[in-house]
Amino acid sequence: MTSTEATPAGQTPAGAFPYDAVLCDLDGVLRLFDLDVQDAIEARYGLPVRRTAFAPEILSPATLGRVTEAQWVDSVAAALGGDERARQAAAEFAAVPFRVDEEVRALLAKAQEHAPVIIVTNAMDSLDEHLDRLGLTYFADAVVSSARVGVAKPDRRIYEIAAELAGAAPERCLFVDDRAENVAAAVALGMTGVHYRQAADLAAALG
């Protein structure tokens, strides 16, 4: 099975929902950041803020729950030079606006009529606050945050935790993510994978 196929293992009666659970990424799928604002911050300060903020050695401690979001911002600022300009750039980057993709929310809500929807996200300690701001606190049937469980995608354990919470075997799970390596890890466990680029990808997988 490839990551773009949406046919789960086993037989499914005609017309039946083909999955026992839908596992969905948050950022880049259900939540969208304003990339124009990010670009404007980099241009205004002349600093590689995005590349620095998402460098594994800086981002991973935060997404594994070893440091707070505030400490991550401090680390970004230090890597950018540590002066006031760097601190301001890092703070503005961390405060970039975000929103829910309403089309994706509607598709996932429809899927919830048939199976649990689990958000599986590499996130920081601020996730609960962000979900509240998005109006998503009670949306998903469960949320698996890397900062809370101590493992991050593409570590196989985070997928196993999500499937266990859903009460579903991996081969009966649909996994949706905008990063190919995360989808590949899910497919390796027997899940059906969707490499998300647009809402139509999710719609096609859900049928």
Side-chain angles (χ1 to χ4, degrees), residues 6-198:
T7 304
Q11 297 296 315
T12 301
F17 192 70
Y19 312 106
D20 291 340
V22 177
L23 315 181
C24 188
D25 182 29
L26 179 64
D27 294 332
V29 181
L30 183 56
R31 171 168 69 168
L32 302 177
F33 284 85
D34 193 322
L35 301 182
D36 289 339
V37 174
Q38 290 184 351
D39 290 341
I41 291 168
E42 289 205 330
R44 184 162 61 254
Y45 289 97
L47 294 170
V49 188
R50 183 188 287 111
R51 186 180 71 219
T52 303
F54 296 144
E57 65 274 15
I58 292 176
L59 183 62
S60 291
T63 56
L64 291 174
R66 296 170 184 163
V67 302
T68 65
E69 181 181 15
Q71 290 171 317
W72 167 71
V73 174
D74 289 342
S75 296
V76 174
L80 290 171
D83 58 11
E84 181 58 32
R85 184 161 151 271
R87 288 192 293 272
Q88 186 63 32
E92 289 185 20
F93 188 84
V96 166
F98 50 76
R99 63 178 176 83
V100 172
D101 186 316
E102 294 296 345
E103 187 174 2
V104 172
R105 184 188 342 219
L107 288 167
L108 293 175
K110 185 173 179 59
Q112 280 181 305
E113 298 173 7
H114 308 282
V117 169
I118 313 296
I119 291 175
V120 186
T121 177
N122 289 354
M124 302 185 194
D125 68 316
S126 54
L127 178 62
D128 288 345
E129 175 194 344
H130 288 193
L131 291 176
D132 184 60
R133 288 165 56 187
L134 289 164
L136 294 176
T137 298
Y138 302 107
F139 174 71
D141 294 279
V143 176
V144 180
S145 165
S146 62
R148 185 167 295 164
V149 300
V151 287
K153 297 176 291 186
D155 188 304
R156 65 177 289 147
R157 182 56 189 147
I158 196 168
Y159 304 92
E160 292 169 342
I161 291 169
E164 290 163 7
L165 281 173
E171 61 269 19
R172 295 290 301 165
C173 293
L174 174 69
F175 178 79
V176 185
D177 200 291
D178 66 325
R179 297 186 67 86
E181 63 268 30
N182 294 342
V183 176
V187 170
L189 286 176
M191 296 181 180
T192 298
V194 174
H195 184 195
Y196 181 91
R197 300 170 187 83
Q198 57 186 348

